[in-house]
Amino acid sequence: MNTKDEACPNMFPSSVVESWMRENIYDFRKGDGTAYFVLYILIPVIITIVSLSELKDDGISVVYCYITILISALNSIYDGANRWKGNKKSVHNTKIFIILGANTFVAVYCVYVVMYILITKNLKCRFDWMLLAYFFSIAVSFADIIACFLKEMTLQNCVGRSGD
């Protein structure tokens, strides 16, 4: 006898994991997820990698590089703030908080580097490993982007079960 429980083993026992999967920051819209991937992940990461790898040791080049990274982080902060859902506690808002926090950290670091170089004209103030904080934002958003596309491929009777 093939019951629902036998066909779908309990893969997500925790209600937290179920909420994480159910509360998609893109509301499972593939277009929104794709646009976010291109505009807030792909382009900023490529720009950051290319500009840091080709960076010359003059102050203006460094300032331009960090201004570009700052603009990308601020765009992501703006988008995340617009996705925030009211004053309620939810997994959705937790995801947005992680995105906002990581991008705010990157933005503050970029402002620090730009101001330090413009004021002191010293290029030795950089701690580029701090830009890795952006990967927290990427991890959260990329998981929801993948979920936008995988939702139609899941067995709907296995997702969202209660009482296991």
Side-chain angles (χ1 to χ4, degrees):
M1 179 151 121
N2 192 6
T3 66
K4 182 176 169 182
D5 290 336
E6 291 172 356
C8 303
N10 190 3
M11 296 174 61
F12 304 108
S14 168
S15 64
V16 173
V17 174
E18 287 176 5
S19 294
W20 186 275
M21 306 265 300
R22 187 175 45 253
E23 294 187 35
N24 189 287
I25 61 176
Y26 310 108
D27 294 325
F28 294 104
R29 295 185 309 250
K30 289 184 248 177
D32 193 16
T34 302
Y36 192 95
F37 176 73
V38 171
L39 297 173
Y40 299 115
I41 295 176
L42 191 63
I43 291 173
V45 168
I46 289 172
I47 288 172
T48 301
I49 290 170
V50 169
S51 60
L52 287 176
S53 67
E54 298 295 322
L55 193 61
K56 297 181 176 39
D57 283 338
D58 64 278
I60 298 300
S61 295
V62 174
V63 168
Y64 281 140
C65 173
Y66 282 91
I67 290 291
T68 304
I69 298 167
L70 174 64
I71 290 169
S72 295
L74 291 175
N75 284 335
S76 188
I77 291 169
Y78 177 78
D79 183 72
N82 285 324
R83 291 179 190 275
W84 191 268
K85 290 188 175 177
N87 293 328
K88 66 178 188 172
K89 294 179 183 179
S90 66
V91 174
H92 175 91
N93 284 350
T94 301
K95 293 177 186 180
I96 298 299
F97 180 79
I98 293 168
I99 291 170
L100 291 173
N103 283 293
T104 301
F105 185 81
V106 168
V108 167
Y109 172 66
C110 289
V111 168
Y112 161 76
V113 170
V114 168
M115 293 306 204
Y116 191 84
I117 290 171
L118 291 176
I119 292 170
T120 67
K121 309 225 185 320
N122 183 357
L123 302 176
K124 306 280 189 245
C125 66
R126 295 178 21 222
F127 306 100
D128 289 344
W129 57 268
M130 291 180 148
L131 295 173
L132 295 175
Y134 189 63
F135 285 103
F136 287 108
S137 172
I138 290 173
V140 169
S141 59
F142 196 65
D144 278 6
I145 290 168
I146 291 172
C148 289
F149 289 92
L150 294 181
K151 183 175 190 276
E152 294 172 1
M153 294 189 287
T154 61
L155 296 173
Q156 295 298 319
N157 61 345
C158 293
V159 178
R161 292 183 303 152
S162 61
D164 286 338

